[in-house]
Amino acid sequence: MIEWVSLSSGTRPVPRPVATPLVWATAVGGALLVTFLNASVGPDRPGIALAALSLLAAILGVYASFTAAPGTAVLCWLFLNGFAIPPAGTLSWTGHRDTFWLACLLTAALIGTALARLTHARAAYRSITAATAAATELYDDLDAP
């Protein structure tokens, strides 16, 4: 007989992502920290700030959902463009450079999210497989004479 069980009941093998507003608030705080770091190193080196913000986007992607990735990338880009390159506090758009920066930040956020989802899915598969094997072994022991 088939027994229908709600998937949301009990423990979840895959953790839920952190709420998007919390991820974005953390992105703003981390981007401010990277901005201060970039100011101490020198504002004429946006590559260091881009690398640090890409790392931040990837780390935040681990805890976020896929829908938070574009917003995280844009928030990091705003701080990179507004404060990491001279003149500080002025947003500008330089076609190829800013497109590249946005692509790097979005890719980092998506890679972090995808790696987290794959890791969680693999762990969930292992726990479900182990539970199924244990249940099968239990039923086999009950059926044995």
Side-chain angles (χ1 to χ4, degrees):
M1 175 151 100
I2 298 174
E3 180 180 334
W4 292 97
V5 179
S6 175
L7 293 177
S8 64
S9 66
T11 60
R12 285 182 48 100
V14 179
R16 294 179 192 236
V18 176
T20 300
L22 183 60
V23 171
W24 288 347
T26 308
V28 168
L32 278 172
L33 187 64
V34 169
T35 301
F36 291 132
L37 170 76
N38 188 53
S40 66
V41 171
D44 55 342
R45 295 188 212 164
I48 295 172
L50 176 63
L53 286 172
S54 294
L55 181 64
L56 173 69
I59 290 170
L60 288 174
V62 169
Y63 300 103
S65 62
F66 278 109
T67 57
T72 303
V74 168
L75 285 170
C76 290
W77 173 80
L78 285 172
F79 280 89
L80 179 64
N81 192 357
F83 300 107
I85 57 171
T90 304
L91 287 176
S92 63
W93 180 263
T94 306
H96 297 294
R97 181 194 69 191
D98 289 323
T99 304
F100 175 72
W101 286 356
L102 273 171
C104 285
L105 293 167
L106 181 62
T107 302
L110 289 174
I111 285 174
T113 305
L115 285 176
R117 296 299 160 258
L118 288 173
T119 304
H120 292 316
R122 186 173 181 186
Y125 176 76
R126 284 183 179 171
S127 68
I128 290 172
T129 305
T132 304
T136 304
E137 185 177 307
L138 177 67
Y139 287 128
D140 288 343
D141 288 345
L142 292 175
D143 288 340

